[in-house]
Amino acid sequence: MDDALPPIAGNHQNAPISRLIAEVVERCPGERITLGEMAEAFGDRAFGLLILLLCLPGLLPGMASIFGTPMLILGVQMGLGFRQPKLPGFIARQSLKRTDVMRLSSGSSKLLARVERYVRPRPGPFTNNTADKVVGWLTAYAALMLILPGPGTNGPPAFGTIIMSLGVVENDSKVVGIGIIVTILANIFATAVLLALVWFGIEALGYVF
């Protein structure tokens, strides 16, 4: 594509989230910025960023199944070892308001500043290709928990996935490791709840019939 954005030049491997977002905003002058544009601009850090952006609204009631499907696709791709997302059209065309993205990169964003204070580049055992695949498959499993209906099964997996994706974006082995543990425990909890619901449903049908 002639109008595709090349990856951000320079040493952006360990650049903070706010700086990367600010550079994308500068290079995308339209009123809205699509996920496809962000994927092209963020290069090898696109997986973590896109999963993070999709996972946050997935915490909202009624929105989990909508954002769970794109998360599932990205997680499977990451688990298979893709270095950059290959977004289907319906995901690539989803967009965010430029003004909303600018707020994330603003120096006045207390939340982002607080996150960047504790999440920083720390290479280690969870910042390699094998760890990325683990993060991908855990993200895919968490996405399934978001898609499947169940009381209390959305929040814990989403929270763990947010921690993992922050660590991936910032190349922080410690945070990725913490996120992996939280996501595994959260996925086990969500799976147990869903299995319990299925068991109670089968038992209830046995009493009826």
Side-chain angles (χ1 to χ4, degrees):
M1 293 177 59
D2 295 334
D3 56 349
L5 289 173
I8 296 172
N11 182 21
H12 68 282
Q13 177 63 31
N14 296 326
I17 301 171
S18 57
R19 198 193 90 187
L20 293 176
I21 294 176
E23 291 187 33
V24 172
V25 169
E26 289 179 2
R27 300 169 64 195
C28 300
E31 293 184 3
R32 303 186 70 89
I33 302 176
T34 66
L35 295 183
E37 289 174 323
M38 298 189 81
E40 292 166 359
F42 280 82
D44 57 357
R45 294 175 73 181
F47 270 118
L49 177 74
L50 293 177
I51 290 171
L52 177 63
L53 291 176
L54 291 169
C55 206
L56 287 172
L59 290 170
L60 301 175
M63 301 297 288
S65 60
I66 298 174
F67 292 94
T69 301
M71 273 180 58
L72 176 61
I73 294 173
L74 290 171
V76 169
Q77 289 185 357
M78 195 174 181
L80 290 174
F82 287 39
R83 300 313 304 160
Q84 294 185 18
K86 297 185 182 298
L87 300 178
F90 77 97
I91 296 180
R93 288 190 294 270
Q94 292 187 32
S95 63
L96 301 171
K97 289 184 179 180
R98 188 170 184 269
T99 52
D100 291 340
V101 179
M102 288 176 66
R103 289 193 189 99
L104 289 176
S105 64
S106 172
S108 62
S109 175
K110 295 181 180 179
L111 177 59
L112 188 58
R114 191 173 302 168
V115 168
E116 291 184 341
R117 188 182 308 167
Y118 296 102
V119 184
R120 61 184 183 276
R122 280 180 284 207
F126 296 107
T127 53
N128 54 43
N129 293 339
T130 300
D132 285 348
K133 292 179 181 179
V134 172
V135 169
W137 290 120
L138 285 175
T139 296
Y141 196 100
L144 288 175
M145 297 300 100
L146 295 180
I147 295 170
L148 296 174
T153 60
N154 293 343
F159 179 68
T161 305
I162 287 171
I163 297 175
M164 288 194 305
S165 59
L166 282 171
V168 169
V169 172
E170 290 287 17
N171 197 38
D172 189 331
S173 178
K174 181 178 180 179
V175 172
V176 173
I178 293 172
I180 286 175
I181 294 173
V182 173
T183 306
I184 289 174
L185 294 175
N187 284 342
I188 291 173
F189 166 78
T191 302
V193 171
L194 290 173
L195 290 176
L197 289 174
V198 171
W199 183 82
F200 281 119
I202 293 174
E203 290 293 309
L205 287 175
Y207 283 113
V208 172
F209 298 101

PDB file of all heavy atoms in Angstrom, residues 105-137:
ATOM      1  N   SER A 105      -1.221  10.557  25.181  1.00  0.00           N
ATOM      2  CA  SER A 105       0.174  10.971  25.041  1.00  0.00           C
ATOM      3  C   SER A 105       0.469  12.286  25.750  1.00  0.00           C
ATOM      4  O   SER A 105       1.611  12.713  25.819  1.00  0.00           O
ATOM      5  CB  SER A 105       0.534  11.114  23.553  1.00  0.00           C
ATOM      6  OG  SER A 105      -0.234  12.141  22.958  1.00  0.00           O
ATOM      7  N   SER A 106      -0.559  12.921  26.272  1.00  0.00           N
ATOM      8  CA  SER A 106      -0.372  14.214  26.918  1.00  0.00           C
ATOM      9  C   SER A 106       0.406  14.081  28.212  1.00  0.00           C
ATOM     10  O   SER A 106       0.236  13.126  28.975  1.00  0.00           O
ATOM     11  CB  SER A 106      -1.733  14.858  27.198  1.00  0.00           C
ATOM     12  OG  SER A 106      -1.578  16.024  27.978  1.00  0.00           O
ATOM     13  N   GLY A 107       1.251  15.051  28.474  1.00  0.00           N
ATOM     14  CA  GLY A 107       2.004  15.047  29.718  1.00  0.00           C
ATOM     15  C   GLY A 107       1.111  15.204  30.927  1.00  0.00           C
ATOM     16  O   GLY A 107       1.516  14.924  32.059  1.00  0.00           O
ATOM     17  N   SER A 108      -0.141  15.654  30.710  1.00  0.00           N
ATOM     18  CA  SER A 108      -1.060  15.836  31.824  1.00  0.00           C
ATOM     19  C   SER A 108      -1.794  14.547  32.195  1.00  0.00           C
ATOM     20  O   SER A 108      -2.589  14.522  33.119  1.00  0.00           O
ATOM     21  CB  SER A 108      -2.096  16.914  31.469  1.00  0.00           C
ATOM     22  OG  SER A 108      -2.861  16.523  30.349  1.00  0.00           O
ATOM     23  N   SER A 109      -1.532  13.478  31.430  1.00  0.00           N
ATOM     24  CA  SER A 109      -2.197  12.217  31.723  1.00  0.00           C
ATOM     25  C   SER A 109      -1.565  11.590  32.964  1.00  0.00           C
ATOM     26  O   SER A 109      -0.520  10.956  32.897  1.00  0.00           O
ATOM     27  CB  SER A 109      -2.084  11.265  30.521  1.00  0.00           C
ATOM     28  OG  SER A 109      -2.633  10.021  30.843  1.00  0.00           O
ATOM     29  N   LYS A 110      -2.222  11.752  34.104  1.00  0.00           N
ATOM     30  CA  LYS A 110      -1.672  11.243  35.360  1.00  0.00           C
ATOM     31  C   LYS A 110      -1.603   9.722  35.368  1.00  0.00           C
ATOM     32  O   LYS A 110      -0.656   9.137  35.887  1.00  0.00           O
ATOM     33  CB  LYS A 110      -2.525  11.738  36.533  1.00  0.00           C
ATOM     34  CG  LYS A 110      -2.485  13.250  36.723  1.00  0.00           C
ATOM     35  CD  LYS A 110      -3.329  13.662  37.921  1.00  0.00           C
ATOM     36  CE  LYS A 110      -3.287  15.174  38.115  1.00  0.00           C
ATOM     37  NZ  LYS A 110      -4.125  15.598  39.277  1.00  0.00           N
ATOM     38  N   LEU A 111      -2.620   9.091  34.763  1.00  0.00           N
ATOM     39  CA  LEU A 111      -2.645   7.635  34.755  1.00  0.00           C
ATOM     40  C   LEU A 111      -1.464   7.074  33.993  1.00  0.00           C
ATOM     41  O   LEU A 111      -0.764   6.171  34.475  1.00  0.00           O
ATOM     42  CB  LEU A 111      -3.952   7.127  34.143  1.00  0.00           C
ATOM     43  CG  LEU A 111      -4.096   5.607  34.011  1.00  0.00           C
ATOM     44  CD1 LEU A 111      -3.993   4.945  35.378  1.00  0.00           C
ATOM     45  CD2 LEU A 111      -5.399   5.252  33.327  1.00  0.00           C
ATOM     46  N   LEU A 112      -1.222   7.605  32.771  1.00  0.00           N
ATOM     47  CA  LEU A 112      -0.126   7.088  31.955  1.00  0.00           C
ATOM     48  C   LEU A 112       1.216   7.374  32.624  1.00  0.00           C
ATOM     49  O   LEU A 112       2.111   6.539  32.620  1.00  0.00           O
ATOM     50  CB  LEU A 112      -0.166   7.714  30.561  1.00  0.00           C
ATOM     51  CG  LEU A 112       0.808   7.136  29.532  1.00  0.00           C
ATOM     52  CD1 LEU A 112       0.579   5.649  29.362  1.00  0.00           C
ATOM     53  CD2 LEU A 112       0.665   7.854  28.206  1.00  0.00           C
ATOM     54  N   ALA A 113       1.347   8.567  33.215  1.00  0.00           N
ATOM     55  CA  ALA A 113       2.592   8.906  33.904  1.00  0.00           C
ATOM     56  C   ALA A 113       2.842   7.958  35.068  1.00  0.00           C
ATOM     57  O   ALA A 113       3.979   7.535  35.316  1.00  0.00           O
ATOM     58  CB  ALA A 113       2.530  10.350  34.396  1.00  0.00           C
ATOM     59  N   ARG A 114       1.780   7.592  35.772  1.00  0.00           N
ATOM     60  CA  ARG A 114       1.913   6.670  36.901  1.00  0.00           C
ATOM     61  C   ARG A 114       2.322   5.282  36.424  1.00  0.00           C
ATOM     62  O   ARG A 114       3.151   4.610  37.051  1.00  0.00           O
ATOM     63  CB  ARG A 114       0.592   6.613  37.663  1.00  0.00           C
ATOM     64  CG  ARG A 114       0.666   5.895  38.994  1.00  0.00           C
ATOM     65  CD  ARG A 114      -0.647   6.046  39.732  1.00  0.00           C
ATOM     66  NE  ARG A 114      -0.987   7.452  39.934  1.00  0.00           N
ATOM     67  CZ  ARG A 114      -2.183   7.881  40.345  1.00  0.00           C
ATOM     68  NH1 ARG A 114      -3.151   7.006  40.581  1.00  0.00           N
ATOM     69  NH2 ARG A 114      -2.400   9.163  40.511  1.00  0.00           N
ATOM     70  N   VAL A 115       1.718   4.852  35.303  1.00  0.00           N
ATOM     71  CA  VAL A 115       2.062   3.540  34.750  1.00  0.00           C
ATOM     72  C   VAL A 115       3.529   3.511  34.326  1.00  0.00           C
ATOM     73  O   VAL A 115       4.267   2.570  34.643  1.00  0.00           O
ATOM     74  CB  VAL A 115       1.152   3.207  33.554  1.00  0.00           C
ATOM     75  CG1 VAL A 115       1.683   1.992  32.800  1.00  0.00           C
ATOM     76  CG2 VAL A 115      -0.271   2.953  34.031  1.00  0.00           C
ATOM     77  N   GLU A 116       3.967   4.543  33.608  1.00  0.00           N
ATOM     78  CA  GLU A 116       5.329   4.575  33.094  1.00  0.00           C
ATOM     79  C   GLU A 116       6.356   4.688  34.213  1.00  0.00           C
ATOM     80  O   GLU A 116       7.530   4.376  34.011  1.00  0.00           O
ATOM     81  CB  GLU A 116       5.483   5.718  32.098  1.00  0.00           C
ATOM     82  CG  GLU A 116       4.724   5.478  30.810  1.00  0.00           C
ATOM     83  CD  GLU A 116       4.948   6.570  29.788  1.00  0.00           C
ATOM     84  OE1 GLU A 116       5.392   7.672  30.178  1.00  0.00           O
ATOM     85  OE2 GLU A 116       4.684   6.328  28.599  1.00  0.00           O
ATOM     86  N   ARG A 117       5.924   5.123  35.399  1.00  0.00           N
ATOM     87  CA  ARG A 117       6.836   5.219  36.530  1.00  0.00           C
ATOM     88  C   ARG A 117       7.252   3.836  37.013  1.00  0.00           C
ATOM     89  O   ARG A 117       8.376   3.642  37.480  1.00  0.00           O
ATOM     90  CB  ARG A 117       6.162   5.992  37.669  1.00  0.00           C
ATOM     91  CG  ARG A 117       7.082   6.317  38.838  1.00  0.00           C
ATOM     92  CD  ARG A 117       6.307   7.027  39.937  1.00  0.00           C
ATOM     93  NE  ARG A 117       5.571   8.172  39.417  1.00  0.00           N
ATOM     94  CZ  ARG A 117       4.619   8.806  40.097  1.00  0.00           C
ATOM     95  NH1 ARG A 117       4.275   8.388  41.308  1.00  0.00           N
ATOM     96  NH2 ARG A 117       4.009   9.842  39.562  1.00  0.00           N
ATOM     97  N   TYR A 118       6.348   2.870  36.892  1.00  0.00           N
ATOM     98  CA  TYR A 118       6.617   1.524  37.398  1.00  0.00           C
ATOM     99  C   TYR A 118       6.891   0.510  36.301  1.00  0.00           C
ATOM    100  O   TYR A 118       7.498  -0.528  36.558  1.00  0.00           O
ATOM    101  CB  TYR A 118       5.429   1.051  38.249  1.00  0.00           C
ATOM    102  CG  TYR A 118       5.210   1.891  39.492  1.00  0.00           C
ATOM    103  CD1 TYR A 118       4.196   2.842  39.534  1.00  0.00           C
ATOM    104  CD2 TYR A 118       6.031   1.740  40.601  1.00  0.00           C
ATOM    105  CE1 TYR A 118       3.998   3.624  40.664  1.00  0.00           C
ATOM    106  CE2 TYR A 118       5.841   2.516  41.736  1.00  0.00           C
ATOM    107  CZ  TYR A 118       4.825   3.452  41.766  1.00  0.00           C
ATOM    108  OH  TYR A 118       4.634   4.232  42.880  1.00  0.00           O
ATOM    109  N   VAL A 119       6.411   0.784  35.092  1.00  0.00           N
ATOM    110  CA  VAL A 119       6.639  -0.133  33.967  1.00  0.00           C
ATOM    111  C   VAL A 119       7.712   0.471  33.085  1.00  0.00           C
ATOM    112  O   VAL A 119       7.526   1.536  32.518  1.00  0.00           O
ATOM    113  CB  VAL A 119       5.343  -0.359  33.156  1.00  0.00           C
ATOM    114  CG1 VAL A 119       5.576  -1.390  32.062  1.00  0.00           C
ATOM    115  CG2 VAL A 119       4.220  -0.792  34.068  1.00  0.00           C
ATOM    116  N   ARG A 120       8.832  -0.209  32.981  1.00  0.00           N
ATOM    117  CA  ARG A 120       9.964   0.345  32.230  1.00  0.00           C
ATOM    118  C   ARG A 120      10.739  -0.798  31.578  1.00  0.00           C
ATOM    119  O   ARG A 120      10.553  -1.962  31.953  1.00  0.00           O
ATOM    120  CB  ARG A 120      10.863   1.147  33.158  1.00  0.00           C
ATOM    121  CG  ARG A 120      11.472   0.338  34.303  1.00  0.00           C
ATOM    122  CD  ARG A 120      12.264   1.233  35.239  1.00  0.00           C
ATOM    123  NE  ARG A 120      12.917   0.487  36.319  1.00  0.00           N
ATOM    124  CZ  ARG A 120      12.321   0.133  37.444  1.00  0.00           C
ATOM    125  NH1 ARG A 120      11.052   0.471  37.647  1.00  0.00           N
ATOM    126  NH2 ARG A 120      12.980  -0.531  38.370  1.00  0.00           N
ATOM    127  N   PRO A 121      11.589  -0.488  30.612  1.00  0.00           N
ATOM    128  CA  PRO A 121      12.346  -1.548  29.940  1.00  0.00           C
ATOM    129  C   PRO A 121      13.211  -2.342  30.914  1.00  0.00           C
ATOM    130  O   PRO A 121      14.101  -1.803  31.568  1.00  0.00           O
ATOM    131  CB  PRO A 121      13.211  -0.773  28.944  1.00  0.00           C
ATOM    132  CG  PRO A 121      12.470   0.497  28.705  1.00  0.00           C
ATOM    133  CD  PRO A 121      11.821   0.831  30.013  1.00  0.00           C
ATOM    134  N   ARG A 122      12.918  -3.639  31.030  1.00  0.00           N
ATOM    135  CA  ARG A 122      13.708  -4.548  31.871  1.00  0.00           C
ATOM    136  C   ARG A 122      13.810  -5.881  31.144  1.00  0.00           C
ATOM    137  O   ARG A 122      12.999  -6.775  31.366  1.00  0.00           O
ATOM    138  CB  ARG A 122      13.058  -4.733  33.245  1.00  0.00           C
ATOM    139  CG  ARG A 122      13.316  -3.599  34.209  1.00  0.00           C
ATOM    140  CD  ARG A 122      12.659  -3.838  35.558  1.00  0.00           C
ATOM    141  NE  ARG A 122      11.233  -3.592  35.495  1.00  0.00           N
ATOM    142  CZ  ARG A 122      10.488  -3.222  36.544  1.00  0.00           C
ATOM    143  NH1 ARG A 122      11.050  -3.060  37.725  1.00  0.00           N
ATOM    144  NH2 ARG A 122       9.200  -3.017  36.413  1.00  0.00           N
ATOM    145  N   PRO A 123      14.765  -6.024  30.226  1.00  0.00           N
ATOM    146  CA  PRO A 123      14.918  -7.289  29.507  1.00  0.00           C
ATOM    147  C   PRO A 123      15.157  -8.437  30.474  1.00  0.00           C
ATOM    148  O   PRO A 123      15.754  -8.264  31.537  1.00  0.00           O
ATOM    149  CB  PRO A 123      16.146  -7.041  28.618  1.00  0.00           C
ATOM    150  CG  PRO A 123      16.220  -5.551  28.479  1.00  0.00           C
ATOM    151  CD  PRO A 123      15.747  -5.013  29.808  1.00  0.00           C
ATOM    152  N   GLY A 124      14.672  -9.610  30.112  1.00  0.00           N
ATOM    153  CA  GLY A 124      14.823 -10.772  30.965  1.00  0.00           C
ATOM    154  C   GLY A 124      14.200 -11.995  30.332  1.00  0.00           C
ATOM    155  O   GLY A 124      13.943 -12.028  29.121  1.00  0.00           O
ATOM    156  N   PRO A 125      13.898 -13.002  31.134  1.00  0.00           N
ATOM    157  CA  PRO A 125      13.380 -14.266  30.595  1.00  0.00           C
ATOM    158  C   PRO A 125      11.996 -14.163  29.970  1.00  0.00           C
ATOM    159  O   PRO A 125      11.590 -15.090  29.268  1.00  0.00           O
ATOM    160  CB  PRO A 125      13.357 -15.187  31.829  1.00  0.00           C
ATOM    161  CG  PRO A 125      13.300 -14.261  32.998  1.00  0.00           C
ATOM    162  CD  PRO A 125      14.084 -13.070  32.595  1.00  0.00           C
ATOM    163  N   PHE A 126      11.273 -13.070  30.232  1.00  0.00           N
ATOM    164  CA  PHE A 126       9.925 -12.936  29.669  1.00  0.00           C
ATOM    165  C   PHE A 126       9.858 -11.894  28.554  1.00  0.00           C
ATOM    166  O   PHE A 126       8.793 -11.387  28.240  1.00  0.00           O
ATOM    167  CB  PHE A 126       8.928 -12.589  30.774  1.00  0.00           C
ATOM    168  CG  PHE A 126       8.783 -13.662  31.817  1.00  0.00           C
ATOM    169  CD1 PHE A 126       9.315 -13.491  33.075  1.00  0.00           C
ATOM    170  CD2 PHE A 126       8.155 -14.864  31.516  1.00  0.00           C
ATOM    171  CE1 PHE A 126       9.206 -14.478  34.036  1.00  0.00           C
ATOM    172  CE2 PHE A 126       8.040 -15.861  32.464  1.00  0.00           C
ATOM    173  CZ  PHE A 126       8.572 -15.671  33.730  1.00  0.00           C
ATOM    174  N   THR A 127      11.015 -11.571  27.966  1.00  0.00           N
ATOM    175  CA  THR A 127      11.031 -10.639  26.839  1.00  0.00           C
ATOM    176  C   THR A 127      11.692 -11.284  25.626  1.00  0.00           C
ATOM    177  O   THR A 127      12.484 -10.663  24.933  1.00  0.00           O
ATOM    178  CB  THR A 127      11.754  -9.324  27.211  1.00  0.00           C
ATOM    179  OG1 THR A 127      13.062  -9.639  27.737  1.00  0.00           O
ATOM    180  CG2 THR A 127      10.979  -8.533  28.233  1.00  0.00           C
ATOM    181  N   ASN A 128      11.378 -12.561  25.392  1.00  0.00           N
ATOM    182  CA  ASN A 128      11.908 -13.249  24.216  1.00  0.00           C
ATOM    183  C   ASN A 128      10.759 -13.835  23.399  1.00  0.00           C
ATOM    184  O   ASN A 128       9.587 -13.706  23.768  1.00  0.00           O
ATOM    185  CB  ASN A 128      12.899 -14.347  24.625  1.00  0.00           C
ATOM    186  CG  ASN A 128      12.298 -15.317  25.638  1.00  0.00           C
ATOM    187  OD1 ASN A 128      11.146 -15.743  25.506  1.00  0.00           O
ATOM    188  ND2 ASN A 128      13.067 -15.671  26.665  1.00  0.00           N
ATOM    189  N   ASN A 129      11.082 -14.477  22.295  1.00  0.00           N
ATOM    190  CA  ASN A 129      10.058 -14.996  21.393  1.00  0.00           C
ATOM    191  C   ASN A 129       9.188 -16.064  22.054  1.00  0.00           C
ATOM    192  O   ASN A 129       7.974 -16.116  21.827  1.00  0.00           O
ATOM    193  CB  ASN A 129      10.715 -15.576  20.131  1.00  0.00           C
ATOM    194  CG  ASN A 129      11.368 -14.514  19.269  1.00  0.00           C
ATOM    195  OD1 ASN A 129      11.030 -13.333  19.383  1.00  0.00           O
ATOM    196  ND2 ASN A 129      12.292 -14.908  18.420  1.00  0.00           N
ATOM    197  N   THR A 130       9.801 -16.915  22.867  1.00  0.00           N
ATOM    198  CA  THR A 130       9.030 -17.962  23.537  1.00  0.00           C
ATOM    199  C   THR A 130       8.017 -17.354  24.502  1.00  0.00           C
ATOM    200  O   THR A 130       6.852 -17.774  24.548  1.00  0.00           O
ATOM    201  CB  THR A 130       9.969 -18.912  24.304  1.00  0.00           C
ATOM    202  OG1 THR A 130      10.884 -19.507  23.379  1.00  0.00           O
ATOM    203  CG2 THR A 130       9.176 -20.000  25.011  1.00  0.00           C
ATOM    204  N   ALA A 131       8.448 -16.361  25.264  1.00  0.00           N
ATOM    205  CA  ALA A 131       7.544 -15.695  26.196  1.00  0.00           C
ATOM    206  C   ALA A 131       6.416 -14.989  25.444  1.00  0.00           C
ATOM    207  O   ALA A 131       5.262 -14.979  25.900  1.00  0.00           O
ATOM    208  CB  ALA A 131       8.309 -14.697  27.057  1.00  0.00           C
ATOM    209  N   ASP A 132       6.742 -14.392  24.290  1.00  0.00           N
ATOM    210  CA  ASP A 132       5.712 -13.730  23.484  1.00  0.00           C
ATOM    211  C   ASP A 132       4.637 -14.731  23.058  1.00  0.00           C
ATOM    212  O   ASP A 132       3.442 -14.411  23.038  1.00  0.00           O
ATOM    213  CB  ASP A 132       6.333 -13.085  22.245  1.00  0.00           C
ATOM    214  CG  ASP A 132       7.088 -11.799  22.576  1.00  0.00           C
ATOM    215  OD1 ASP A 132       6.929 -11.294  23.706  1.00  0.00           O
ATOM    216  OD2 ASP A 132       7.840 -11.320  21.709  1.00  0.00           O
ATOM    217  N   LYS A 133       5.058 -15.941  22.704  1.00  0.00           N
ATOM    218  CA  LYS A 133       4.081 -16.964  22.308  1.00  0.00           C
ATOM    219  C   LYS A 133       3.191 -17.356  23.484  1.00  0.00           C
ATOM    220  O   LYS A 133       1.981 -17.551  23.328  1.00  0.00           O
ATOM    221  CB  LYS A 133       4.808 -18.189  21.751  1.00  0.00           C
ATOM    222  CG  LYS A 133       5.506 -17.942  20.410  1.00  0.00           C
ATOM    223  CD  LYS A 133       6.222 -19.193  19.936  1.00  0.00           C
ATOM    224  CE  LYS A 133       6.932 -18.939  18.609  1.00  0.00           C
ATOM    225  NZ  LYS A 133       7.665 -20.134  18.124  1.00  0.00           N
ATOM    226  N   VAL A 134       3.795 -17.463  24.666  1.00  0.00           N
ATOM    227  CA  VAL A 134       3.011 -17.769  25.868  1.00  0.00           C
ATOM    228  C   VAL A 134       1.987 -16.678  26.120  1.00  0.00           C
ATOM    229  O   VAL A 134       0.807 -16.946  26.403  1.00  0.00           O
ATOM    230  CB  VAL A 134       3.937 -17.939  27.090  1.00  0.00           C
ATOM    231  CG1 VAL A 134       3.118 -18.066  28.371  1.00  0.00           C
ATOM    232  CG2 VAL A 134       4.839 -19.157  26.918  1.00  0.00           C
ATOM    233  N   VAL A 135       2.431 -15.430  26.011  1.00  0.00           N
ATOM    234  CA  VAL A 135       1.516 -14.293  26.188  1.00  0.00           C
ATOM    235  C   VAL A 135       0.389 -14.359  25.163  1.00  0.00           C
ATOM    236  O   VAL A 135      -0.782 -14.109  25.477  1.00  0.00           O
ATOM    237  CB  VAL A 135       2.277 -12.961  26.061  1.00  0.00           C
ATOM    238  CG1 VAL A 135       1.304 -11.780  25.976  1.00  0.00           C
ATOM    239  CG2 VAL A 135       3.221 -12.760  27.243  1.00  0.00           C
ATOM    240  N   GLY A 136       0.733 -14.715  23.930  1.00  0.00           N
ATOM    241  CA  GLY A 136      -0.277 -14.797  22.875  1.00  0.00           C
ATOM    242  C   GLY A 136      -1.358 -15.817  23.175  1.00  0.00           C
ATOM    243  O   GLY A 136      -2.549 -15.531  23.074  1.00  0.00           O
ATOM    244  N   TRP A 137      -0.939 -17.043  23.560  1.00  0.00           N
ATOM    245  CA  TRP A 137      -1.931 -18.088  23.836  1.00  0.00           C
ATOM    246  C   TRP A 137      -2.744 -17.779  25.082  1.00  0.00           C
ATOM    247  O   TRP A 137      -3.942 -18.075  25.132  1.00  0.00           O
ATOM    248  CB  TRP A 137      -1.247 -19.445  23.949  1.00  0.00           C
ATOM    249  CG  TRP A 137      -0.708 -19.962  22.648  1.00  0.00           C
ATOM    250  CD1 TRP A 137       0.579 -20.260  22.334  1.00  0.00           C
ATOM    251  CD2 TRP A 137      -1.474 -20.218  21.452  1.00  0.00           C
ATOM    252  NE1 TRP A 137       0.684 -20.680  21.037  1.00  0.00           N
ATOM    253  CE2 TRP A 137      -0.561 -20.675  20.461  1.00  0.00           C
ATOM    254  CE3 TRP A 137      -2.818 -20.099  21.123  1.00  0.00           C
ATOM    255  CZ2 TRP A 137      -0.962 -21.008  19.173  1.00  0.00           C
ATOM    256  CZ3 TRP A 137      -3.229 -20.442  19.824  1.00  0.00           C
ATOM    257  CH2 TRP A 137      -2.313 -20.894  18.882  1.00  0.00           C
TER     258      TRP A 137
END
